[in-house]
Amino acid sequence: MSTLAHTMMTTARSSDSGFVGPGELDSYPYAEAPGGDRVGGAPTWEGTESELGRVGRRAAGSRGRGLHGQLVQQLGQMIVSGDLGADRPLVPEEIGHRFEVSRTVVRESLRVLEAKGLVSARPNVGTRVRPVSDWNLLDPDIIEWRAFGPQRDDQRRELSELRWTIEPLAARLAAGHGREDIQQRIGDMVEIMGHALGQADTITFSRADAEFHSLLIQVAGNRMLEHLSGIVSAALQVSGGPVTGCDRPNETALGLHARIAESLASGDGAAAETAMRQLLTVHPEVERVVPAPREH
């Protein structure tokens, strides 16, 4: 096994996966904001006990996010899930009261959500939730929030369809065009996946799988496709069911990854594309979503 493969497997076994499963996204506690920047007064979220109050009281572990990241996570989930519907006003003072965070934390969190297209801030109007049509649906956070919310089925189907448009083309373009070091890393990922499969180490398998697909898109030589590599990584992380061959570590999926890597190394673009389509169609339900094109 290469040094890279050994390092990656050792690292994965010594830490958690970093991936989040259903029901875990709503479990971030909030510490009290330091200093005198706290917002004073009584909460005024009328009629929202079943919405913001319920979410604000949720407690459990944390992914190591600071107050700012935690508030972005909570508000983002609430917007995407529909708890805070379109055109709903978001008053910073009220958010600060409910979550016991400072004006600075609230302000910066709303700026992040605005950049994602979830809210808009206008003079004399304030900050309001924007409709779904305005959201940046390719943002990895929004992908994650949708994947573990009420829209989970639609999100996973849409991600599968998007992967069908991206990855077979990337595989064809990548064949014979990759630098030797990247080709070696792609081969290392297949090796890591093989060892992980033998040890029933799904964490390591998933990490190597995500890196494999990301590297393949990067080596395709198309900068616009390269910008979409994060979407593929997000899709692999949030897939919660048997949507593609990558979602369940098995010998078939491993063999197809190996075939793709071999085709890339030999410069056989057609073979690489075909193997990728087979990988994305291991489960018959995918064929009902995106039919495989006819072979010529």
Side-chain angles (χ1 to χ4, degrees):
M1 184 188 301
S2 68
T3 302
L4 174 62
H6 180 270
T7 300
M8 188 168 180
M9 292 189 71
T10 302
T11 301
R13 285 195 296 267
S14 64
S15 63
D16 62 37
S17 68
F19 298 163
V20 182
E24 295 177 22
L25 289 175
D26 57 1
S27 58
Y28 303 102
Y30 291 86
E32 184 170 330
D37 200 22
R38 282 280 305 281
V39 180
T44 57
W45 285 72
E46 297 180 1
T48 60
E49 179 59 24
S50 63
E51 300 171 0
L52 193 64
R54 169 171 49 81
V55 176
R57 289 196 307 271
R58 293 169 179 169
S62 171
R63 281 195 292 179
R65 300 176 185 241
L67 287 177
H68 163 261
Q70 293 174 24
L71 186 57
V72 168
Q73 183 82 0
Q74 289 283 25
L75 293 177
Q77 290 176 65
M78 294 174 67
I79 293 170
V80 169
S81 69
D83 283 344
L84 296 176
D87 208 37
R88 170 67 182 271
L90 298 177
V91 181
E93 290 77 9
E94 296 176 359
I95 296 175
H97 284 311
R98 181 65 67 177
F99 290 100
E100 298 184 331
V101 293
S102 69
R103 287 187 178 91
T104 300
V105 170
V106 174
R107 183 169 57 248
E108 293 302 316
S109 298
L110 291 178
R111 285 178 181 172
V112 172
L113 295 175
E114 185 174 17
K116 296 177 184 294
L118 294 179
V119 305
S120 62
R122 291 182 293 176
N124 303 320
V125 175
T127 301
R128 291 182 176 272
V129 176
R130 298 170 72 173
V132 177
S133 58
D134 292 341
W135 298 357
N136 178 8
L137 296 178
L138 300 184
D139 182 280
D141 282 337
I142 295 180
I143 289 174
E144 180 183 83
W145 297 334
R146 290 186 72 208
F148 295 116
Q151 304 169 43
R152 62 177 64 87
D153 291 338
D154 287 340
Q155 176 67 102
R156 289 167 183 163
R157 174 182 55 79
E158 291 166 3
L159 284 171
S160 294
E161 293 170 352
L162 190 57
R163 290 186 64 192
W164 262 85
T165 67
I166 295 172
E167 295 193 77
L169 173 60
R172 174 181 285 273
L173 294 176
H177 294 161
R179 302 197 314 266
E180 184 176 345
D181 59 334
I182 297 182
Q183 293 283 5
Q184 178 61 51
R185 284 180 61 84
I186 289 175
D188 285 340
M189 294 307 109
V190 176
E191 184 178 357
I192 292 168
M193 293 167 70
H195 283 275
L197 181 62
Q199 298 177 23
D201 184 352
T202 57
I203 292 175
T204 299
F205 189 99
S206 296
R207 287 181 170 175
D209 185 23
E211 174 116 0
F212 176 98
H213 290 270
S214 178
L215 287 169
L216 184 145
I217 292 175
Q218 292 174 34
V219 83
N222 184 308
R223 292 184 178 179
M224 296 187 72
L225 275 180
E226 187 173 343
H227 277 280
L228 300 178
S229 63
I231 299 171
V232 174
S233 295
L236 288 165
Q237 291 183 22
V238 304
S239 56
V243 179
T244 70
C246 303
D247 299 328
R248 288 184 175 179
N250 55 57
E251 292 290 348
T252 300
L254 178 63
L256 288 170
H257 280 88
R259 190 183 307 170
I260 293 169
E262 292 166 1
S263 299
L264 295 181
S266 65
D268 191 340
E273 180 179 5
T274 297
M276 179 61 75
R277 291 190 184 280
Q278 291 174 342
L279 180 62
L280 296 175
T281 321
V282 167
H283 300 283
E285 57 265 35
V286 179
E287 293 184 282
R288 293 198 295 271
V289 175
V290 187
R294 295 178 182 176
E295 295 292 338
H296 297 287

